[in-house]
Amino acid sequence: MSALAAPGRGAVLLATRLGIALGQIAIVAVAVFALTALLPGDTAVVLLGEQADSGQVAALRERLGLDEPLGQRFLSWAAGILHGDLGTSLRTGIPVATELGQRAATTLVLALLTLAVVLPLALSAGVLSGLRAGTKFDRAVNFAVVLLNSVPEFAVALLLVGVLSVQAGLLPATAVGLSGWSLLSDPAVLVLPVAVLVGKQLCALSRQVRTGVVTADGSEFATHVRRAGLSESAVVLRHVLPNAVGPVLQQLARTVDGLLGGVVVIEALFALPGLGSGFVEAVKARDLPAVQGYALVFAAVTIGVNLVTDLAARHFRAETR
């Protein structure tokens, strides 16, 4: 019986981890507000332009609440979050939560397609490489994934755009005019962004799978069941792969973290109106409520994914003992 399934024990573990996650989000919220407050420059000056006089700047600062003490601004912001209000974007004039919702679909499409490609590729490469550890195939796979990981995303993106879009004319270089789920109506616009993200995330995940398979395949238990006459396919499917799943789930959380960082670059390069490009635009415009909203969502997603994968990894470890 797994730790999560044991009467009472699973509930206590879940409640403890949820409490820790909420505490982490609270700490991140304080850090996000403090860091955005320390950004150089004046938001009112950025919005009005360099030609605005001091009276106009002072009036706008008062209207936006920027002349209030920092502590009071934080308490107002935190109270809004508790009621689901992330404030209003200074740049677009719409609620930050609405803007996040409009852009989330684009990022979700990009992330889900990337995971749909990278997961089977990483599992296949890691398992086959791990079962053939030390062979030419193993070394070739490791060389390929490390090479893909070593090249910056923007360099791979520019190379693919130059060769496949500009020179060969096979794929569109941007997704201008499309957003959210409408991107699926023209899948060609997603090929290059997804390919770049897959290339970056494939290395760590496939190498973690390989390490787990090599460890499980060389364990005393695997050796014992082989000597007992169990077929090789049964040893791999029933004992090697299940024991390699736990560490892979934790690496999967780091893969999602990497995707969040990667979409910031990829969405900007391919003109995809998602959370990453929205965050960049908000920072450039010094749109503090939007910057705080984006940062808080990124942190909450990261903490949530790590929580789920950690609980799932604990469950698999308990099941395979």
Side-chain angles (χ1 to χ4, degrees):
M1 183 177 290
S2 75
L4 295 180
R9 187 177 175 185
V12 171
L13 174 63
L14 182 60
T16 302
R17 294 309 308 271
L18 283 174
I20 293 173
L22 291 175
Q24 290 172 326
I25 292 176
I27 293 172
V28 168
V30 174
V32 165
F33 186 87
L35 291 174
T36 51
L38 293 174
L39 286 175
D42 190 312
T43 302
V45 173
V46 173
L47 293 174
L48 292 173
E50 297 293 338
Q51 304 303 320
D53 57 41
S54 57
Q56 291 173 312
V57 173
L60 183 58
R61 285 180 57 80
E62 182 180 2
R63 184 166 65 84
L64 298 177
L66 298 176
D67 57 343
E68 297 175 353
L70 191 62
Q72 184 176 340
R73 286 162 52 195
F74 173 74
L75 291 177
S76 299
W77 180 67
I81 291 176
L82 293 177
H83 291 85
D85 180 12
L86 296 175
T88 301
S89 170
L90 305 179
R91 175 172 43 91
T92 62
I94 64 175
V96 173
T98 301
E99 180 177 324
L100 291 172
Q102 292 172 345
R103 289 180 172 272
T106 298
T107 300
L108 196 59
V109 168
L110 199 57
L112 290 179
L113 284 177
T114 301
L115 287 176
V117 177
V118 80
L119 282 178
L121 276 180
L123 288 173
S124 302
V127 170
L128 294 175
S129 184
L131 294 175
R132 295 168 174 75
T135 64
K136 290 182 179 179
F137 175 81
D138 179 35
R139 289 193 290 272
V141 171
N142 280 330
F143 175 79
V145 296
V146 171
L147 179 64
L148 284 173
N149 186 61
S150 63
V151 183
E153 289 166 321
F154 73 90
V156 177
L158 292 177
L159 177 65
L160 291 178
V161 168
V163 174
L164 298 178
S165 298
V166 178
Q167 296 296 327
L170 296 175
L171 294 166
T174 68
V176 175
L178 295 174
S179 64
W181 302 109
S182 67
L183 289 165
L184 297 176
S185 65
D186 187 5
V189 302
L190 292 167
V191 173
L192 294 183
V194 170
V196 176
L197 289 171
V198 167
K200 194 65 178 177
Q201 302 304 324
L202 183 61
C203 178
L205 192 56
S206 65
R207 286 173 67 83
Q208 183 60 64
V209 174
R210 178 190 178 278
T211 300
V213 169
V214 169
T215 302
D217 193 44
S219 66
E220 292 184 5
F221 185 77
T223 303
H224 173 73
V225 294
R226 282 192 177 97
R227 287 174 179 169
L230 205 62
S231 66
E232 185 62 24
S233 59
V235 172
V236 172
L237 293 175
R238 296 180 188 176
H239 302 289
V240 173
L241 295 184
N243 280 288
V245 168
V248 172
L249 287 173
Q250 292 174 326
Q251 181 58 46
L252 183 60
R254 290 188 282 274
T255 299
V256 174
D257 294 345
L259 274 178
L260 286 178
V263 296
V264 174
V265 177
I266 297 305
E267 288 179 356
L269 284 172
F270 291 96
L272 290 163
L275 294 175
S277 58
F279 179 67
V280 173
E281 292 170 11
V283 171
K284 287 169 61 179
R286 203 181 158 73
D287 187 348
L288 295 186
V291 172
Q292 292 162 349
Y294 280 108
L296 200 57
V297 166
F298 288 150
V301 170
T302 299
I303 292 171
V305 169
N306 277 277
L307 171 64
V308 172
T309 54
D310 185 46
L311 291 174
R314 284 172 178 267
H315 175 76
F316 272 101
R317 280 200 298 270
E319 290 289 341
T320 53
R321 281 175 186 168

